[in-house]
Amino acid sequence: MWQPELIWTHVVSDALIAAAYFSIPIALITFLRKRPDVEFGKMFWLFALFILSCGLTHLMGIWNLWHGDYAAEAVIKAITAAASVPTAILLWTLLPQALAIPSPSMLQRKNDELAAALAERDAVLAQLRAEVQQRERIEAALVQANKMEAVGQLTGGIAHDFNNLLQAISGNLELIQMLPDNKDKVLRWAANAAQATERGTRLTGQLLTFSRRQRLEATAIDVGNLLRGMSELLRNSVGPTADLQLNVGPDLGVVRSDPTQLELAILNLAINGRDAMPSGGRLLIQAEAESDRVAIRIVDHGVGMTREIVERALEPFFTTKGPGHGTGLGLSMAYGVARAAGGDLRIDSTPGEGTTVTMYLPRAAETEVASHAPGMGTTRSAPTRSADVLLVDDDPEVRQAVADMLRGSGHRVTEAENGPQALLLLERMSPDLMMLDYAMPGMNGAQLAANVLDRMPDLKLLFLTGFADSEAIDAAVDGRARILKKPVSAAALAAAIEELMA
Ligand code: ADP
Ligand code: MG
């Protein structure tokens, strides 16, 4: 059998097989080194060992053609068997796991599914956002509708109250026109009309306080003095059914507020307390210092308020009293006054037991305390000296009425219906005082005042204005003017002029 072709076919084939076998573990191990993440790493090592020993058996085959070293060959075969059997067994056991490894195409599919789910989520999110926006729009519309309803209630309330007042005024004026010669009756009717006007004044005062457009003349107020000064007014307002008890604590100090408005607020709260006790009871008004603020409490043992009512009580025009009985402005105005003074208002109420309304007002540094006479409106005697007044107002009826009042108090009056006309007049005359409206078409009062301020340093200025504007006026005249609120009584007008001329 020793045929050279046969021998060399064996040798060359075995050598090639061995070379191929040796290269495979090298490739496997190189692969493993570079991809440590690959699963079944141990299996690869075992496989490498197995193939290496297979390669060795082939080398052994070549050796044995010449040497017949069968002991060595047996050892190598035994090693190969030892490596191959566990490899084969392990391979079978790993098969299910290997099958579970997702193929690239499966991964791709999963990826696509994931991308689709993400896109779907984005779409849902976008829809959600759109719904939220839609809802916000609806809520804004609702707020707007509520506002409109509030404005409707508000204007309705004002119109209702003013119609009553106008009725009282016009009715009495008509009576006067019909029977002008019956002096007693005329005086009574005039007094009735004046009373209605005063009610209207209070109403607009409350409205403006609520709208924060009222000029609040904040001065330092001694709360104790203010309350003691009001006691008569309070007793008259809550009596005779309610029994008023006034407890003014010591060392209350001063607060900064508008005294008239603060009085009105306290009065409103007291009247609320009285209204809450239809069959009478004790109404306690108590003021005490609490660290850096003064608490003014109005305590009644009346019907109390439900939570719903407490929640709405500060709303302007919210009232549970029938038409003609409540304006719904008392609490809102008291709240406005407290806030304007840098304080707060608190309602504690239990239905059936009573209510405590507390105004908290921050204490101010104890500077000069303005003396303030309690009660609305001031009465003064006739002027000590008459003045030359230039009266500027675009409303002919107002101008006429004010001019007549001024003349009635002994002053000389020249009228102008607008700013330019007033300026023309001022070139020819130099009055003691210019009395002017703020809101006028073309040139407003502040502009007119600014125009004459430098040229006529001695000219006194008195604004008679419906509301607000006070900041614009202050800015324009730099504190050189006095401001009166419309409507103004003849007495208040006379007093202001007297004060200015003094
Ligand atoms: P008005 O007194 O004109 O109704 P207010 O603003 O003063 O307006 O009060 C609003 C509402 O709050 C009242 O209609 C009433 O229902 C309730 N209220 C206010 N004060 C009291 C109180 N002391 N006891 C019970 N209810 C009160
Ligand atoms: Mg009230």
Side-chain angles (χ1 to χ4, degrees), residues 3 11 200 339:
Q3 296 169 6
V11 170
R339 296 300 303 226

Side-chain angles (χ1 to χ4, degrees), residues 272-273 276 300 304-305 309 313 318-321 326-332 355:
N272 279 350
D300 68 59
M305 296 182 232
I309 293 183
F318 173 80
T319 177
T320 57
K321 302 167 189 175
T327 55
L329 288 172
L331 275 173
S332 63
T355 304

Side-chain angles (χ1 to χ4, degrees), residues 135-327:
R135 199 172 139 169
E136 278 169 359
R137 269 198 301 278
I138 291 175
E139 275 172 2
L142 201 66
V143 167
Q144 185 62 19
N146 280 344
K147 249 194 250 168
M148 291 313 288
E149 198 197 306
V151 169
Q153 268 178 14
L154 192 134
T155 40
I158 301 174
H160 172 265
D161 285 350
F162 267 100
N163 275 337
N164 282 344
L165 296 174
L166 290 175
Q167 177 61 53
I169 297 168
S170 68
N172 282 299
L173 290 178
E174 262 178 52
L175 288 170
I176 293 173
Q177 278 172 333
M178 284 191 310
L179 284 178
D181 297 329
N182 188 333
K183 187 161 175 251
D184 287 346
K185 284 193 170 166
V186 165
L187 279 178
R188 206 179 69 230
W189 291 327
N192 289 345
Q195 206 184 350
T197 319
E198 206 177 301
R199 259 169 59 211
T201 310
R202 272 207 295 276
L203 191 63
T204 50
Q206 290 180 335
L207 271 175
L208 292 172
T209 306
F210 154 70
S211 71
R212 316 276 154 79
R213 303 197 68 179
Q214 175 92 302
R215 180 187 177 81
L216 286 176
E217 304 275 359
T219 49
I221 304 169
D222 181 321
V223 181
N225 278 347
L226 181 110
L227 280 173
R228 277 185 290 269
M230 282 182 75
S231 64
E232 207 42 43
L233 178 69
L234 286 169
R235 236 174 274 284
N236 288 336
S237 311
V238 305
T241 54
D243 173 22
L244 180 80
Q245 185 182 339
L246 195 62
N247 271 1
V248 180
D251 304 325
L252 291 185
V254 300
V255 301
R256 283 196 71 79
S257 180
D258 180 319
T260 312
Q261 297 294 320
L262 183 56
E263 274 184 0
L264 195 53
I266 295 168
L267 188 61
N268 275 321
L269 299 179
I271 289 173
N272 279 350
R274 177 203 66 188
D275 290 348
M277 302 187 293
S279 47
R282 195 165 45 124
L283 183 72
L284 172 65
I285 299 184
Q286 168 197 330
E288 55 192 352
E290 287 180 0
S291 65
D292 55 350
R293 58 189 190 175
V294 176
I296 303 174
R297 293 201 168 77
I298 289 84
V299 187
D300 68 59
H301 302 283
V303 292
M305 296 182 232
T306 61
R307 234 200 14 209
E308 291 73 36
I309 293 183
V310 172
E311 269 164 20
R312 299 198 54 196
L314 295 182
E315 273 176 33
F317 294 102
F318 173 80
T319 177
T320 57
K321 302 167 189 175
H325 292 285
T327 55

